[in-house]
């Protein structure tokens, strides 16, 4: 343990002893993040998990989580499964939970090629009609959640790995203008929400990251509001970029006058995880969270659920997982958890 972290532990212990019990600060990921000048440390969640009471208790612990993100409840296939029919029930459940717990909400996501109903992707709409459909979807959803969403992931995963635009019904029909049109519609429906473009594999720098910076500039050039770039942060143990290179990426975002956040952080490994892998994972979490802590414009970190029990990884990457700071039995991985705490100090 470093001298500074020993000092802060000592100071915490002293202040805990000298404070009346009712005012004793509880140390956790979110309280540390806020003490470090960040806006929150958060977790994704999903409706099906909320009946798991021990899970729910952990998620609702605001010492660790000051923000939650619906993993699926606000996606197009859930919200508007057929044209003009809106189903806000699952999203409302997550909103109510955040309100009850006093947590912020990162709302996710309005325009994405995936989890998009086929009436949109295969509708054969012309440019003007698809713009109407997209703007209507955004307007209805953002208006429904007006005042509830601290952040909105307005457009998700618009890029290929080489930095070209991903083919999707939106890009193929409307062209790159679908991005500023989407951001303008979201801003009109809720001027207070912070609006993000969100994508994965931006953490490595390079072509995809540079293209994400160009998207920020594109939206700005249309005069539409964009507030932030979301780094999803689906990383790999042992291949996570260094803290300094992640800091340099975050500084490039800040130079465009917008903020940044890690929006879906998890760091996967081969399962079962070896002791060496967990030790490396702790360092990789520290590199990423530490980079955010060091750059003022990085406002917060969200992990993509907090426990391996509900991680998406094993279903998509066979033989991979153990990506989160809590294990499948909802037990904290002390090494990883403490490394994040320390990175926030
Ligand atoms: O966590 C989500 C999982 O439950 C869904 O099955 C999956 C379907 O695509 O989406 C997951 O969340 C994704 C997020 O919305 C966007 N970035 C990648 C995430 C992991 O797939």
């Amino acid at each position: 343990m470093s001298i500074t972290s020993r000092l802060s532990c000592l100071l915490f212990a002293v202040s805990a002893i000298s404070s009346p019990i009712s005012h004793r600060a509880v140390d956790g990921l979110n309280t540390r993040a806020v003490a470090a000048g960040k806006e929150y440390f958060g977790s994704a969640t999903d409706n099906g998990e909320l009946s798991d009471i021990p899970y729910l208790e952990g998620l609702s612990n605001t010492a660790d989580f000051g923000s939650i993100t619906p993993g699926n409840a606000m996606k197009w296939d859930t919200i508007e499964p057929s044209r003009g029919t809106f189903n806000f029930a699952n999203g409302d459940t997550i909103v109510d939970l955040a309100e009850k717990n006093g947590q912020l909400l990162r709302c996710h996501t309005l325009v994405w090629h995936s989890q998009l109903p086929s009436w949109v992707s295969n509708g054969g709409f012309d440019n003007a009609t698809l713009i109407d459909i997209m703007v209507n979807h955004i307007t209805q959803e953002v208006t429904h959640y007006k005042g509830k969403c601290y952040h909105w992931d307005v457009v998700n995963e618009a890029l290929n790995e080489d930095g070209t635009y991903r083919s999707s019904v939106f890009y193929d029909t409307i062209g790159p203008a679908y991005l500023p049109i989407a951001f303008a519609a979201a801003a009109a429906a809720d001027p207070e929400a912070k609006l993000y473009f969100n994508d994965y594999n931006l953490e490595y720098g390079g072509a995809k990251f540079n293209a994400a910076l160009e998207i920020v500039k594109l939206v700005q050039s249309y005069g539409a509001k964009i507030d932030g770039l979301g780094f999803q942060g689906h990383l790999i143990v042992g291949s996570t970029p260094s803290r300094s290179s992640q800091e340099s990426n975050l500084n490039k975002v800040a130079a465009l006058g917008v903020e940044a956040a890690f929006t879906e952080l998890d760091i996967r490994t081969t399962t079962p995880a070896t002791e060496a892998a967990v030790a490396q994972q702790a360092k990789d979490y520290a590199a990423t969270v530490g980079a955010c802590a060091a750059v003022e414009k990085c406002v917060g970190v969200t992990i993509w659920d907090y426990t391996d029990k509900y991680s998406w990884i094993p279903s998509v990457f066979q033989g991979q997982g153990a990506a989160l700071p809590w294990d499948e039995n909802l037990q904290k991985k002390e090494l990883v958890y403490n490394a994040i705490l320390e990175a926030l100090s």
Side-chain angles (χ1 to χ4, degrees), residues 195-226:
L195 306 181
Y196 274 67
F197 169 62
N198 191 47
D199 214 326
Y200 59 89
N201 287 352
L202 306 181
E203 304 77 18
Y204 303 96
K208 192 172 189 182
F209 172 62
N210 290 334
L213 297 177
E214 291 304 318
I215 284 181
V216 173
K217 291 196 233 170
L218 175 81
V219 176
Q220 290 172 331
S221 76
Y222 274 72
K225 181 168 111 91
I226 179 165

Side-chain angles (χ1 to χ4, degrees), residues 303-321:
I303 48 179
W304 205 240
D305 227 315
Y306 73 91
T307 156
D308 295 336
K309 187 172 184 183
Y310 296 120
S311 173
W312 67 290
I313 301 276
S315 64
V316 174
F317 298 96
Q318 243 201 335
Q320 301 278 302

Side-chain angles (χ1 to χ4, degrees), residues 1-2 4-6 8-9 12 25-36 38 41 61-65 243 265 281-291 293 301 303 325-326 332-345:
M1 192 186 264
S2 70
T4 41
S5 63
R6 253 181 289 166
S8 63
C9 284
F12 174 74
V26 182
D27 202 17
L29 303 177
N30 182 55
T31 47
R32 283 280 180 111
V34 170
K38 304 294 108 179
F41 192 98
N61 175 10
T62 53
D64 281 324
F65 306 118
R243 172 173 158 158
L265 181 62
Q281 185 180 49
K283 289 182 187 158
D284 292 341
Y285 265 103
T288 306
V289 174
V301 175
I303 48 179
W326 276 259
K332 228 180 238 176
K333 300 174 191 173
E334 295 291 343
L335 196 66
V336 174
Y337 182 90
N338 289 335
I340 301 175
L341 275 186
E342 193 166 334
L344 289 166
S345 300

Side-chain angles (χ1 to χ4, degrees), residues 155-269:
V155 177
N156 198 38
E157 301 177 4
L159 293 167
N160 293 316
E161 295 309 295
D162 65 0
T164 56
Y165 282 106
R166 180 194 287 275
S167 167
S168 71
V169 71
F170 303 108
Y171 179 74
D172 299 343
T173 311
I174 305 169
Y178 89 87
L179 286 134
I181 294 170
F183 277 86
D190 187 352
E192 300 297 321
K194 298 261 178 78
L195 306 181
Y196 274 67
F197 169 62
N198 191 47
D199 214 326
Y200 59 89
N201 287 352
L202 306 181
E203 304 77 18
Y204 303 96
K208 192 172 189 182
F209 172 62
N210 290 334
L213 297 177
E214 291 304 318
I215 284 181
V216 173
K217 291 196 233 170
L218 175 81
V219 176
Q220 290 172 331
S221 76
Y222 274 72
K225 181 168 111 91
I226 179 165
D227 299 289
L229 181 60
F231 293 73
Q232 291 187 2
H234 295 299
L235 299 171
I236 303 168
V237 169
S239 303
T240 296
S242 68
R243 172 173 158 158
S244 64
S245 75
Q246 295 198 66
E247 273 185 47
S248 134
N249 296 338
L250 293 169
N251 282 320
K252 286 181 189 158
V253 178
L256 299 182
V258 296
E259 59 187 44
F262 288 97
T263 55
E264 306 183 13
L265 181 62
D266 49 25
I267 310 186
R268 63 184 181 268
T269 187

Side-chain angles (χ1 to χ4, degrees), residues 47-82:
N47 298 69
E49 303 158 16
L50 301 179
S51 55
D52 177 341
I53 300 305
Y55 166 83
L56 182 62
E57 275 173 16
L59 180 74
S60 302
N61 175 10
T62 53
D64 281 324
F65 306 118
S67 165
I68 57 175
T69 304
N72 288 295
M74 294 187 180
K75 290 172 176 173
W76 196 313
D77 58 352
T78 299
I79 294 286
E80 193 183 4
S82 60

